[in-house]
Amino acid sequence: MKKLVVITGASSGFGKALALEFSKGGYPLLLLARRVELLEELNLANTICEKVDVTNYEAFEKSVRKAEELYGKTDLIINNAGVMFLGNIASQDPQQWQTMLDVNVMGVMNGMKIVMEDMKQRKCGTIVNIASIAGVKPFPLHAAYCATKYGVIGLSETARGELAEHNVRVIRICPGAVNTELLSHTTSDEIKANYKVWIETTGVGSITANDIAKTVKFAYEMPQGVNLREIQIADTRQDA
Ligand code: NDP
């Protein structure tokens, strides 16, 4: 059997597409999200589904160890779980900043910490962190979200350097706008409506979650000695 792949936020969007793509490729999986019933509905072979909030380090680690007992050590973790609340920095509820920082940054760091030591000792392993083009350049009304995604880029590149001598890869994926549930959590109807107008007027819409999943799988399946450090992937018609 192939080696264990752990995917966070696998109940919708990129995570769900990743689960389907890696399962098709014959990998045993650990799928994590809070809506565990959506993970179970996928009904994938050699797959453990766990209800885990990635901000809860103990629960996250317990699930990974449980899957490792069955399938062997984690060879790939995809830290994909994330939330986006768009808003003007001056008026946005700081609780939304905190939630984004907790899930998008601490959740990713938790996932890295849970697998890193073993990977170092085995001199093998891959960590994929889902960042964003909003981690490479700013976008209006994305200040707090950008802060988290710039954070993911900074931590990924620093960890990449620190893990290099151990032959462990850290890869950051920076997608542009893709239609998933992500926008739905923003609380301002006006911001959501304007975002949709931008999508419609630019014609962004060809790219799918499945394109992101295929790209992650391609990067992972390159030889361990080859690291696609950062991949920016967006709809051809995305102008920003
Ligand atoms: P979705 O909203 O469709 O999926 C987000 C996933 O994260 C869900 O499965 C959700 O599961 C999970 N999640 C959220 N909070 C937690 C938590 N506390 N603990 C565990 N899981 C959690 O969005 P996308 O698929 O679009 O987003 C995936 C990643 O891609 C995110 O990091 C996002 O920032 C990033 N991204 C998305 C882009 C886009 O345009 N779609 C562009 C660039 C980056 P549940 O609610 O069941 O817990």
Side-chain angles (χ1 to χ4, degrees):
M1 189 182 290
K2 291 186 175 174
K3 293 176 182 172
L4 174 63
V5 174
V6 177
I7 303 170
T8 72
S11 58
S12 70
F14 298 170
K16 180 176 172 182
L18 284 159
L20 295 172
E21 188 67 17
F22 275 88
S23 183
K24 209 165 63 181
Y27 292 90
L29 303 176
L30 169 62
L31 305 182
L32 305 176
R34 293 163 304 173
R35 292 171 296 170
V36 70
E37 64 286 358
L38 296 182
L39 305 177
E40 286 163 351
E41 268 173 24
L42 297 175
N43 199 22
L44 300 176
N46 299 316
T47 295
I48 296 178
C49 303
E50 292 275 301
K51 181 181 174 72
V52 165
D53 184 322
V54 291
T55 64
N56 181 337
Y57 183 89
E58 288 72 29
F60 193 168
E61 181 174 32
K62 204 169 147 203
S63 296
V64 172
R65 300 295 167 242
K66 178 176 158 188
E68 288 180 337
E69 266 182 35
L70 199 60
Y71 297 123
K73 293 291 182 191
T74 306
D75 196 56
L76 168 65
I77 187 166
I78 307 170
N79 290 305
N80 163 75
V83 282
M84 178 177 82
F85 301 107
L86 299 181
N88 187 300
I89 193 68
S91 54
Q92 191 172 19
D93 180 352
Q95 188 51 53
Q96 297 191 346
W97 307 343
Q98 191 64 58
T99 303
M100 286 193 282
L101 285 163
D102 288 344
V103 179
N104 300 2
V105 181
M106 288 304 294
V108 171
M109 293 177 88
N110 286 343
M112 294 176 79
K113 172 120 179 101
I114 288 163
V115 299
M116 261 185 312
E117 207 44 55
D118 277 339
M119 287 183 174
K120 273 170 70 176
Q121 279 171 21
R122 283 182 287 121
K123 301 229 166 290
C124 188
T126 302
I127 294 167
V128 169
N129 293 335
I130 306 296
S132 173
I133 291 194
V136 180
K137 59 191 216 179
F139 289 85
L141 304 172
H142 281 60
Y145 181 71
C146 276
T148 69
K149 293 300 185 179
Y150 273 71
V152 172
I153 302 265
L155 85 88
S156 301
E157 177 57 10
T158 308
R160 186 203 59 73
E162 291 176 4
L163 292 170
E165 65 172 300
H166 304 286
N167 199 39
V168 174
R169 297 183 294 189
V170 181
I171 297 170
R172 52 197 189 270
I173 309 287
C174 305
V178 182
N179 188 21
T180 66
E181 292 181 11
L182 193 70
L183 182 65
S184 66
H185 306 294
T186 291
T187 45
S188 159
D189 289 338
E190 189 189 349
I191 292 175
K192 281 195 280 199
N194 288 338
Y195 194 95
K196 284 179 187 154
V197 167
W198 172 65
I199 297 284
E200 276 158 25
T201 50
T202 52
V204 170
S206 301
I207 195 167
T208 65
N210 193 40
D211 295 315
I212 308 303
K214 283 193 282 189
T215 303
V216 172
K217 187 156 168 285
F218 173 80
Y220 172 61
E221 289 181 342
M222 290 297 279
Q224 183 72 32
V226 178
N227 188 354
L228 284 162
R229 297 178 177 188
E230 178 174 298
I231 301 174
Q232 292 187 27
I233 170 170
D235 195 291
T236 306
R237 299 178 72 94
Q238 181 168 331
D239 57 1

